[in-house]
Amino acid sequence: MTLPARNLLAEEASPYLKQHSDNPVHWRGWSPDALAEAKELGRPILLSIGYAACHWCHVMAHESFENDAVAAVMNRLFVNIKVDREERPDIDQIYMAALHAMGEQGGWPLTMFLTPDGKPFWGGTYFPREARYGRPGFVQVLEAVDKAWREKQESLGQSADALTTHVEQRLAGAKGKAVLDRGTLADLAGRIEGMVDGDLGGLRGAPKFPNAPFMHSLWLSWLREGQTAHRDAVLISLEKMLAGGIYDHVGGGLSRYSTDAEWLVPHFEKMLYDNAQLIRMCNWAFAATGNELFRKRIEETVAWLLREMRVEGGAFAASLDADSEGEEGLFYTWSGEEVEAALGADSARFFQYFEFAAPHGWEGKPIIRQSEAQQRQGISEDAQLAALKAKLLAARENRVRPGRDAKALTDWNGLMIAALAEAGRSFGRADWVDAAVKAFAHIVEASKDGRLPHSMLGDKKLFPALSSDYAAMTNAAIALFEATGSSAYMDHARQFIDRLDRWHQDPEKTGYYLTASDSVDVPIRIRGDVDEAIPSATGQIVEALVRLSSLTGDHDLWAKAWTTAEHAMGRAAQQAYGQAGIINACALALEPLKLVIIDKLDSSSLLVPVANRSSDPRRVDVVLPIGTEANQPLLPGGVLPPTDKPGAWFCSGQTCLPAVTDAGELERLLRRE
């Protein structure tokens, strides 16, 4: 089947793909029809993968994809397919793994050349239109690939077959199971500690990413083993990034990463998942330290989320772009004159709390950051500083805004829903919990035939969901159950696991595939074991199974969780990197913690506030009002706690401590004092 000789992206749901719908390139979306066209024509495929907030994706688009001469070469030599990596992480992970197997550095835009049957034989990331940065010009690349294809098609095909087999073994293979061992997390945390920048936080060197799965490993190590150095590494990392330019000091929220080692110059895109994980980490940090910095940054980030990221219906958009008016960071940076115009006589006071930085090579306006002393002063004098920031925010609202990728991704929303529910509990913010409830309902109501979508943009929905979607929404449902006490969320969680089993479980019932069994356009059905900026799909699945089985006391579900964890660890043991999410989740399986509280659910409650402010990522909480007729086993062994008086039962695995009735004693217990 030969598709029309024109750009076909106008009808796609992805804002990223729509950004390319006016290109002179004859783009196709990833589909069986596009793959069939390549086979019919006998042409190689040029696959370009990116996302809406990607700065270098925009650069390559402006330089090459919007250029008639470049497009003419692409259209003559290749079948050109565009993919939004956020819509199709399954496709992205396959070809990114292929690029890594070629010994190349990964990143986006991902530019891959495939045989007509979709097997990769060469690729790279960003290519400039003209040769520079030590890289060949894009037209040179296109013509060289075409020449190689025409003259060495047989050998390229053999190489593509071998590369595809390698990727399949790495991403889809079964490696047996491994015994879950407490030492695995300790070993990982020790190796991460060795990579941490003791002065600046994060991992040493540049660029600097928040790397939430690694920070989670360190935090769990402290909670389990008492490694205070690991706790301090997380706290230093948070404090440094929250003082740097990677954090939006005017409007709240974290950018994707900093290009330098000091958290100063970010790529200014803001991703939903980074900020979900920031809220969770700051919540844990506040529970451990009482440092008001973490509370304030949570409040600011949630305010940004509710102000700028909600889409119609209540779910949350995927990202905000780095660029506006063709310039990276223009929306977020300030000149001294602009600050003075916005604040007038108060501008001098503003510079008591902040400083400008413009490092070598940065061509934009200065970037706002804080020194450690200014950060402490800003928190202690929050009321005065908040008024100044409100004026700057109002002035910034008059600027041309960065583009927003308004598609709602189910797994990313699941992460944010859980973060909002947890923070709402901790800080008594019913409005945050309500926002989480609305987002959850929006996504569930979009289901079709009982199956979740992966992505939504208005009336357009992308089905079927990925395994990461069901896992993230299961964890979100559990967080909402903890925050609201509504058993409806437990029903949702069970339904999500049922769908996960139906559409994603492998035939041996040892784990799950990322794509559903009825997905017809994936060249390889991968597991989803590798972390990216968020924990892997497999890590999230193990966590969801452990939490749900712990809450319900369902022995069959627990057996499934343990089997999945053992086989996930077996595969993780064969990989060199990207397995922190699996190891963290398996640590939960080794030591699932459960807290059951019977108490008055009003202002006279003494035990519930203690649990709410003692956030622990290992623990699941069940809160019931006095007098409840419990209809399910709540303690290990199917034991029902008495419900005629206040009490708290803290359980680790199958062992529960004696009931606690004193709030101070419960606080000491939860803090492991």
Side-chain angles (χ1 to χ4, degrees), residues 216-540:
H216 194 170
S217 298
L218 292 172
W219 198 254
L220 288 175
S221 173
W222 167 60
L223 290 171
R224 291 182 59 188
E225 313 295 340
Q227 290 278 8
T228 55
H230 294 172
R231 175 201 62 194
D232 294 345
V234 175
L235 296 176
I236 290 170
S237 298
L238 285 172
E239 290 170 7
K240 294 294 186 180
M241 75 174 72
L242 292 173
I246 190 175
Y247 184 76
D248 179 358
H249 292 280
V250 172
L254 196 70
S255 292
R256 178 72 195 90
Y257 66 95
S258 67
T259 60
D260 58 281
E262 299 180 2
W263 304 108
L264 174 57
V265 182
H267 269 316
F268 286 85
E269 66 266 31
K270 288 182 179 178
M271 314 301 293
L272 185 68
Y273 56 75
D274 283 321
N275 286 284
Q277 293 174 113
L278 176 71
I279 290 168
R280 290 194 83 197
M281 291 298 305
C282 285
N283 191 31
W284 302 338
F286 182 79
T289 66
N291 186 341
E292 288 293 323
L293 167 68
F294 301 121
R295 176 202 289 269
K296 185 61 183 175
R297 295 298 181 258
I298 291 173
E299 291 172 346
E300 292 170 348
T301 300
V302 174
W304 160 76
L305 175 80
L306 301 182
R307 184 180 66 245
E308 300 186 25
M309 298 298 284
R310 271 208 276 208
V311 300
E312 185 177 355
F316 301 106
S319 65
L320 294 180
D321 209 332
D323 300 3
S324 56
E325 300 183 76
E327 184 176 331
E328 185 183 9
L330 183 63
F331 183 76
Y332 297 103
T333 53
W334 298 78
S335 67
E337 293 78 12
E338 287 172 328
V339 171
E340 290 175 5
L343 298 182
D346 289 332
S347 60
R349 185 158 181 76
F350 175 80
F351 287 107
Q352 293 177 11
Y353 298 108
F354 296 103
E355 59 189 20
F356 272 167
H360 177 71
W362 174 246
E363 298 177 354
K365 290 181 290 188
I367 297 166
I368 295 174
R369 71 175 179 188
Q370 291 183 311
S371 66
E372 290 184 41
Q374 287 172 326
Q375 189 178 61
R376 289 192 297 270
Q377 182 185 7
I379 295 301
S380 65
E381 300 176 12
D382 177 59
Q384 299 94 310
L385 179 55
L388 300 179
K389 291 203 289 189
K391 288 183 179 180
L392 284 179
L393 182 61
R396 196 173 78 177
E397 290 299 309
N398 295 318
R399 297 178 177 178
V400 175
R401 297 190 60 79
R404 184 177 78 158
D405 186 333
K407 69 176 180 288
L409 294 162
T410 295
D411 48 359
W412 295 8
N413 269 267
L415 293 174
M416 183 56 82
I417 290 164
L420 281 176
E422 291 170 6
R425 281 183 66 205
S426 295
F427 297 109
R429 292 294 299 263
D431 54 330
W432 296 356
V433 175
D434 183 58
V437 165
K438 289 178 179 176
F440 185 92
H442 183 194
I443 292 170
V444 170
E445 288 164 5
S447 297
K448 181 173 69 174
D449 299 327
R451 299 175 72 177
L452 292 172
H454 172 61
S455 175
M456 297 183 289
L457 183 68
D459 293 333
K460 294 187 176 181
K461 302 173 180 66
L462 180 67
F463 290 96
L466 301 170
S467 63
S468 56
D469 298 314
Y470 289 112
M473 286 294 283
T474 300
N475 286 317
I478 292 169
L480 284 172
F481 169 74
E482 293 176 301
T484 67
S486 172
S487 61
Y489 291 109
M490 296 303 293
D491 295 336
H492 281 300
R494 286 184 176 277
Q495 290 166 12
F496 295 149
I497 296 302
D498 286 344
R499 298 296 181 272
L500 188 67
D501 289 346
R502 168 69 179 83
W503 296 106
H504 296 268
Q505 195 169 41
D506 64 32
E508 296 78 21
K509 297 186 177 181
T510 62
Y512 299 85
Y513 290 108
L514 183 60
T515 49
S517 57
D518 58 348
S519 297
V520 297
D521 62 352
V522 286
I524 300 171
R525 202 166 169 225
I526 67 175
R527 292 278 184 178
D529 288 343
V530 180
D531 296 335
E532 294 184 307
I534 59 177
S536 65
T538 300
Q540 293 184 66

Side-chain angles (χ1 to χ4, degrees), residues 153-223:
Q153 190 170 137
E154 184 177 352
S155 63
L156 286 180
Q158 292 170 352
S159 297
D161 288 342
L163 184 57
T164 301
T165 299
H166 169 82
V167 170
E168 186 166 17
Q169 289 174 344
R170 178 170 180 267
L171 297 184
K175 301 289 195 306
K177 63 182 182 179
V179 175
L180 300 190
D181 179 3
R182 286 182 65 94
T184 305
L185 176 67
D187 175 67
L188 173 64
R191 286 186 283 124
I192 294 170
E193 183 191 13
M195 297 186 286
V196 168
D197 185 328
D199 296 322
L200 298 171
L203 302 186
R204 286 192 296 272
K208 246 186 174 58
F209 290 83
N211 209 320
F214 274 13
M215 295 300 107
H216 194 170
S217 298
L218 292 172
W219 198 254
L220 288 175
S221 173
W222 167 60
L223 290 171

Side-chain angles (χ1 to χ4, degrees), residues 116-153:
D117 57 355
K119 296 178 179 178
F121 62 85
W122 194 77
T125 53
Y126 162 77
F127 291 100
R129 188 173 69 198
E130 310 295 339
R132 64 180 186 277
Y133 310 126
R135 302 179 70 82
F138 191 46
V139 172
Q140 289 177 268
V141 170
L142 298 174
E143 292 175 339
V145 170
D146 170 65
K147 184 174 187 292
W149 177 253
R150 285 185 286 104
E151 297 179 357
K152 303 176 181 179
Q153 190 170 137

